[in-house]
Structure formats: C-alpha cells, structure tokens
Amino acid sequence: MYHPRFVLSHCLRPVSSVLAPHVEYLWMVRGYLPARWRNMILPDGAMELIINLGDPQKLCARNDLTKQTVFRHSWISGERLSPIVIDEIGYVHLIGVRLRAGGAWPFLGIPLSEFTDQVVELETIFGREIEHLRDQLSEAPDDKSRFDLLEAWLVRRARARTRPTRSVSHALRVIQSGLDAARIGKVTE
C-alpha cells in the first residue's frame, strides 16, 4: 500500500499442506499513519480473520462515514457484497488469515452466511481463546514467530473440528479448481 505520506509494509506467507485446503495465505501489515487514512476495501469473495496488534481500527457506516464502529483486538470480516471503508490512523499492525471459499468451517463451526457483509469481533466466537492467541502474538519476538503461532493455532482448530462429508469436500474441490466454470447442477451431481 502506498500513499505519498504513508508507507505500510505488507507481507504474505504460504501455509502448510494441512491448512492449504482451507487457507489461501497468512498476511501481515505494519506501519505508522501520521494522519487519518480512509481505506476502501472492495468485495472480492474473501473472508478474513484479523488480529490487531496496533491501534484500534474504525469501520465506517456505509451511508455515513462519520458513524464508526471501533474494532480494537480481533475480528472476522465476512464475504462482502459491497465495499467497506476503514478509517485508520496511528500504529498499524495487523496479522490475518485469508480463507478459501468454504474454508472457514474447520475454524469457526458456524454457518458462513452468519458473516456475509458483516464484521464481527472474534471474542464473540472464540472468547478468551482469541485473547490468549493475541497476547502470544504480541509477545512473539519477530514476524516469523507470529506467523508460526497463528498457523499452529489454525491447525489445532482444524484438527478439533469434524471433517466435511465426502460430497461437500468434492463440491469444494470443484469450486476451488477454477478449471471449469462450477455450475450448480454439476456440483450438486
């Protein structure tokens, strides 16, 4: 991300083969914004888990950018049907998980429709577990350690959840392959 006055570093990390069916990659954004910056995020089919190690982030209301919801620690950004605007200032340090289509179930165990066009605090879903993870991430000595901790947490959550049925797994593979347009009729067969 670049703006003449602001510079944020952004890095991506691939995930292990255990997580690859569910997670596209892990990411981190870090930097300092000396003045307010409104960041518009367009709908892209993604669902993301985000943990904030920096200053609070503000989600602006769609119809009035002056109305904002503050997100301090961690949240899930569901699949978006319309753009969202984030109002940022100060120290930015976010670590996130970009999920594949259908990839959230092993970690959340909640129907994904509950999150469509929503941004929800992760504490609501995970309680103290996510607070503990956030504490570990903030105390980690470096970014590699942070990524390692986040990936280990995801693996533990995925192993604790019931696997989808063979038919659901097959449908997800067809959708994710992208080789052939995934037609509903073909997938349901």
Side-chain angles (χ1 to χ4, degrees):
M1 298 178 203
Y2 178 77
H3 185 279
R5 295 177 294 172
F6 312 132
V7 177
L8 298 176
S9 66
H10 187 260
C11 65
L12 303 178
R13 177 168 136 170
V15 294
S16 68
S17 59
V18 172
L19 293 178
H22 313 291
V23 176
E24 286 186 45
Y25 51 81
L26 306 179
W27 58 267
M28 189 177 307
V29 174
R30 186 193 307 226
Y32 183 77
L33 301 173
R36 186 179 76 200
W37 180 33
R38 285 204 171 128
N39 183 10
M40 180 180 283
I41 302 169
L42 300 173
D44 63 359
M47 187 172 204
E48 304 205 39
L49 303 178
I50 302 167
I51 298 172
N52 185 12
L53 303 176
D55 290 337
Q57 302 278 305
K58 296 176 183 173
L59 175 66
C60 299
R62 285 190 190 124
N63 54 354
D64 182 355
L65 297 180
T66 63
K67 292 182 180 177
Q68 301 172 337
T69 303
V70 176
F71 290 92
R72 299 183 188 288
H73 300 138
S74 60
W75 55 91
I76 182 169
S77 180
E79 184 178 3
R80 292 176 299 283
L81 302 176
S82 58
I84 60 173
V85 176
I86 307 295
D87 201 359
E88 299 175 282
I89 189 169
Y91 179 55
V92 176
H93 190 181
L94 304 170
I95 185 166
V97 180
R98 184 169 175 101
L99 299 165
R100 295 188 184 282
W105 175 259
F107 313 112
L108 302 176
I110 299 170
L112 303 185
S113 61
E114 299 289 320
F115 303 105
T116 300
D117 235 5
Q118 300 291 317
V119 178
V120 178
E121 292 276 0
L122 284 174
E123 286 85 355
T124 306
I125 301 164
F126 298 118
R128 300 211 35 93
E129 178 183 355
I130 201 70
E131 292 174 28
H132 179 67
L133 174 63
R134 185 176 177 274
D135 290 345
Q136 287 180 312
L137 292 170
S138 66
E139 293 170 5
D142 54 41
D143 291 344
K144 181 189 178 310
S145 299
R146 286 183 188 90
F147 279 134
D148 290 345
L149 284 165
L150 182 56
E151 187 160 354
W153 179 77
L154 290 166
V155 167
R156 281 192 307 276
R157 294 228 28 113
R159 287 186 174 148
R161 180 87 36 225
T162 304
R163 300 236 183 263
T165 64
R166 285 183 3 170
S167 58
V168 169
S169 295
H170 173 72
L172 287 172
R173 279 193 303 277
V174 169
I175 292 168
Q176 292 168 350
S177 72
L179 299 175
D180 191 13
R183 299 186 186 278
I184 297 299
K186 182 179 177 184
V187 172
T188 57
E189 286 175 14

